[in-house]
């Protein structure tokens, strides 16, 4: 499977600090070649045979509203011996609607990513092993996130608080709570 770069085109005026947020920056790696895993269906080329091998429903339909089914699919493919590559020069442009260019959305996206990454891990391991592996990340997220309030730089503050939200999302998944990010349609 090949994955490639995604450039972002923002709808409306966007503060410069927000353009530097990791979630809104262009998704580029700076080099092409074999990679361990891709985590998004944004600009991917997948062999039809690889999808057929996973049955009639390769995407986990229980994640339709939470998101993260693409990462879960690719994790399953990786565990099944599939290989991945990145083509940095095969780029597409994604329109990011104004409703996704807010502090609240960025923070909740971090929460959702933490939650769905943990759901994916739980799908492929035991709750004890996942919880044990995630504890250092959760603690680190809360520490760094708490420090986020101590800066006047809005970009650093939101990025640091995002780590706290991501840690909270991991806890939510470990306790069986799910946030359905895709219940709301953006840009419609």
């Amino acid at each position: 499977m090949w994955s490639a770069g995604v450039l972002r085109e923002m709808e409306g005026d966007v503060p410069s600090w927000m353009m530097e947020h990791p979630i809104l920056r262009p998704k580029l790696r700076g080099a092409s070649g074999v990679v361990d895993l891709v985590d998004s269906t944004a600009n991917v080329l997948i062999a039809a045979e690889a999808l057929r091998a996973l049955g009639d429903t390769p995407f986990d339909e229980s994640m339709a509203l939470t998101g993260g089914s693409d990462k879960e699919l690719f994790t399953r493919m990786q565990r099944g011996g599939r290989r991945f590559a990145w083509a940095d020069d095969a780029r597409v442009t994604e329109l990011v609607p104004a409703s996704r260019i807010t502090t609240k959305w960025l923070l909740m996206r971090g929460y959702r990513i933490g939650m769905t990454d943990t759901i994916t891990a739980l799908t492929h391991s035991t709750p004890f092993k996942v919880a044990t592996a995630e504890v250092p990340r959760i603690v680190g997220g809360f520490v760094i996130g708490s420090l986020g309030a101590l800066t006047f730089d809005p970009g650093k503050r939101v990025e640091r608080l995002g780590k706290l939200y991501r840690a909270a999302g991991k806890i939510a998944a470990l306790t069986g709570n799910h946030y359905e990010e895709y219940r709301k349609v953006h840009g419609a």
Side-chain angles (χ1 to χ4, degrees), residues 46-53:
I46 304 173
E49 176 275 324
L51 285 177
R52 278 191 220 103

Side-chain angles (χ1 to χ4, degrees), residues 2-5 31-33 43 85-91:
W2 283 90
S3 185
S32 298
N43 198 15
W86 183 268
D88 211 51
D89 57 344
R91 299 177 183 176

Side-chain angles (χ1 to χ4, degrees), residues 52-96:
R52 278 191 220 103
L54 296 172
D56 291 337
T57 54
F59 290 95
D60 183 343
E61 293 178 359
S62 71
M63 298 178 86
L65 295 177
T66 63
S69 62
D70 45 4
K71 184 167 185 179
E72 193 284 323
L73 170 78
F74 299 141
T75 300
R76 197 166 5 115
M77 291 173 83
Q78 178 192 49
R79 293 173 67 91
R82 299 290 176 178
R83 294 178 8 158
F84 303 87
W86 183 268
D88 211 51
D89 57 344
R91 299 177 183 176
V92 297
T93 301
E94 171 189 27
L95 175 63
V96 180

